[in-house]
Amino acid sequence: MIDTRSAVLLHPLAFVREQLGMGKMQFATAVRRHGERLGHHLGTTRSTIYKWERGDHAPDAVTQLVIADYLHSSGLRVSVEALGQKPWPLWLPAWEDQVIAAPWTQRSTLEALTALGSEPVDRRGFIGISGAALAGIGTQWATADPALAAATKGDQITSRTVDRMAVRIESIRAMEQDTGGVDFLDSARADLELLTRMISNSRYTDDIGKRLYTLAAEVCCLLGWMSYDAGLQAAAQKNYTTSLRAAKTANDDMLGAHTLCFMATQASNHQEQRAAVGLMESASSVSGRVPPAMQSSLAAHETTVLCKAGEHKRAAQALNRAFSALERASDDRPAYLRWFGESQLRSTEGRFLLATGQAGRATDALEKSVTHAAPRDQAVRCGTLALAYQRAGDLDGALDATERAIKALSTGIHTQRGVQRLQEVSKALAGHRSEPRVKEARAHIASLAAA
């Protein structure tokens, strides 16, 4: 049997089986027999359980009812009513209670890193933690005590080795900005696995250990972002959560707050507005002790979250703070924050203006944001720019921006966010479907979405 915390990180059903002391075959047999008692003839096998836990398939509605009833009869906290509130596997009694409840210690961080590196690719399009529990992660991170244990046996890790790992991670970050992160997920996972082995098996000073955990946090945050960009929402959330633990173990509050910003953005884009605001409040708790560049980033993310939550006045105030802090910022910043600058802030401004009914002004800000953006970001922002032109009544401008986005996504840039943005554009242009250019653009968008 695997460790219980590792099991839940692999898949909630793996944790449930661990709680019951069952292997895949035992669980499949128990579900079949329970189904027969309820009048259902199921074909559940060990292979079926394997595919469920890989994310290849989900049990049908009848099978889920049988599983819920079986777990309830086995003494686990689950009810049939839970099935109507959350999709599979989120209703299983595992993820929120156990992963979030894990102590914020070096041991728990290492367990999370190890499990994260061994889990299968996420095929689900939803995030795993929701509501108050999601917001609570930020509160836990903000109040947890960091801990660095004594080094274990193995080779001595030197600062030169850590420097080399930092260069590897920075190269992945640079490449994903050029073409999108989906092509580099395996490379980042390999680096995370290497870092985890170094942390687990090697000897190093406390300072080197802190750097190793910092790099692990950076890789997890980067993996979270790349997964999010590829539409792998649950994987993104798991990586972000593990990044928070590693950052706390390294006592790096700035990196932890950086990760919380991305978690808040993801939550906001998945209708978890209250949780998103809570995550940003936790992130902003460090604003008084971080440099201006990070203050600007915090305020920019706060702008996005507040705008999504309909708090436009507070969002405008946050946007003003972001621009003010950026004016004071220097180029001396950590590698994970080098992407943030005027281009990103103009994108935030453009999206705020668009959301508040100022489409004409939004086009100016978004054009500036596209000019100096990384190729991957250009592909996404051109879609937003097209929406702004469409709402401003400029069909030619909307089509020009759409064609720029289509060209980028058709020539080597991979970002699910970019495709989804273009699908919004296609819907917005539906009223002009008889126009030849519109018809052609919508056909290209449909082709990209189907790929």
Side-chain angles (χ1 to χ4, degrees):
M1 289 287 179
I2 57 179
D3 178 88
T4 53
R5 286 199 199 102
S6 298
V8 71
L9 284 167
L10 289 169
H11 192 279
L13 183 58
F15 174 79
V16 168
R17 290 192 297 99
E18 180 69 23
Q19 291 293 90
L20 296 172
M22 290 183 167
K24 294 183 179 69
M25 178 67 77
Q26 290 174 294
F27 187 76
T29 301
V31 169
R32 282 201 314 271
R33 290 175 177 172
H34 196 76
E36 289 172 1
R37 286 193 288 270
L38 297 177
H40 303 294
H41 299 287
L42 307 178
T44 309
T45 65
R46 184 187 185 282
S47 177
T48 308
I49 305 300
Y50 175 78
K51 291 177 181 178
W52 289 347
E53 293 183 4
R54 272 185 56 88
D56 293 333
H57 301 288
D60 60 29
V62 171
T63 305
Q64 289 190 46
L65 284 169
V66 172
I67 292 172
D69 193 78
Y70 172 69
L71 297 181
H72 178 72
S73 68
S74 300
L76 297 186
R77 192 180 65 183
V78 65
S79 65
V80 174
E81 289 76 15
L83 275 66
Q85 300 170 5
K86 293 183 179 181
W88 170 270
L90 301 188
W91 59 263
L92 291 170
W95 178 261
E96 292 186 4
D97 289 347
Q98 299 299 324
V99 172
I100 297 177
W104 289 71
T105 61
Q106 184 182 31
R107 177 186 174 186
S108 292
T109 297
L110 190 53
E111 288 174 350
L113 288 168
T114 301
L116 196 60
S118 62
E119 71 174 357
V121 174
D122 186 330
R123 291 173 173 81
R124 293 169 286 150
F126 48 82
I127 61 179
I129 310 173
S130 59
L134 177 53
I137 291 175
T139 302
Q140 290 182 34
W141 170 83
T143 58
D145 291 326
L148 283 174
T152 58
K153 62 181 180 178
D155 293 339
Q156 183 75 33
I157 299 296
T158 67
S159 59
R160 184 178 180 183
T161 301
V162 181
D163 289 341
R164 288 178 177 173
M165 286 301 303
V167 170
R168 285 169 59 121
I169 295 165
E170 182 57 25
S171 68
I172 294 175
R173 183 182 288 110
M175 289 186 292
E176 77 88 18
Q177 288 179 346
D178 281 342
T179 64
V182 67
D183 292 333
F184 305 104
L185 282 168
D186 287 342
S187 296
R189 290 190 187 107
D191 279 352
L192 178 60
E193 184 180 354
L194 177 58
L195 277 167
T196 304
R197 290 203 306 269
M198 291 165 63
I199 292 170
S200 300
N201 304 323
S202 303
R203 293 177 292 116
Y204 42 80
T205 64
D206 284 352
D207 286 342
I208 293 296
K210 180 178 179 180
R211 289 189 63 195
L212 288 172
Y213 275 106
T214 296
L215 286 178
E218 284 193 41
V219 175
C220 287
C221 186
L222 182 59
L223 273 166
W225 165 254
M226 292 193 296
S227 299
Y228 170 72
D229 191 47
L232 305 174
Q233 301 303 330
Q237 195 178 61
K238 292 176 186 177
N239 280 287
Y240 286 147
T241 305
T242 306
S243 175
L244 279 184
R245 290 187 177 278
K248 180 56 68 174
T249 301
N251 197 25
D252 192 333
D253 285 351
M254 181 168 158
L255 179 52
H258 176 74
T259 301
L260 284 172
C261 287
F262 287 101
M263 290 185 73
T265 298
Q266 182 192 29
S268 181
N269 287 333
H270 285 80
Q271 290 73 53
E272 290 285 352
Q273 308 306 345
R274 184 174 298 179
V277 172
L279 289 167
M280 277 310 309
E281 288 175 351
S282 296
S284 297
S285 67
V286 307
S287 60
R289 56 181 189 273
V290 296
M294 186 62 195
Q295 291 175 6
S296 183
S297 177
L298 284 167
H301 284 89
E302 186 178 0
T303 300
T304 298
V305 167
L306 290 173
C307 192
K308 285 270 190 177
E311 299 188 38
H312 294 157
K313 182 177 180 180
R314 291 179 61 196
Q317 294 169 344
L319 184 60
N320 288 334
R321 292 199 305 274
F323 274 108
S324 177
L326 189 62
E327 290 178 356
R328 306 191 306 273
S330 67
D331 292 333
D332 184 17
R333 62 184 72 178
Y336 59 80
L337 199 58
R338 288 173 190 158
W339 64 275
F340 183 83
E342 184 176 0
S343 176
Q344 175 62 33
L345 197 48
R346 290 297 180 187
S347 175
T348 302
E349 178 189 29
R351 285 182 281 114
F352 166 78
L353 292 170
L354 188 58
T356 54
Q358 304 174 73
R361 293 180 60 195
T363 60
D364 293 336
L366 290 168
E367 285 283 11
K368 292 175 182 176
S369 80
V370 169
T371 301
H372 300 293
R376 187 270 326 283
D377 290 334
Q378 288 181 358
V380 178
R381 293 176 191 174
C382 279
T384 308
L385 179 60
L387 287 172
Y389 275 123
Q390 186 273 329
R391 293 183 192 176
D394 185 346
L395 182 59
D396 287 338
L399 287 169
D400 288 343
T402 300
E403 289 166 3
R404 288 156 66 185
I406 290 172
K407 181 179 179 180
L409 292 172
S410 301
T411 54
I413 295 178
H414 306 112
T415 164
Q416 188 61 26
R417 290 183 306 124
V419 174
Q420 291 170 348
R421 197 65 48 82
L422 279 181
Q423 288 178 300
E424 294 178 38
V425 173
S426 180
K427 184 177 179 180
L429 294 176
H432 303 276
R433 61 171 61 89
S434 60
E435 295 280 345
R437 283 185 70 192
V438 172
K439 185 177 181 180
E440 182 180 2
R442 297 185 78 218
H444 281 154
I445 293 171
S447 176
L448 286 170

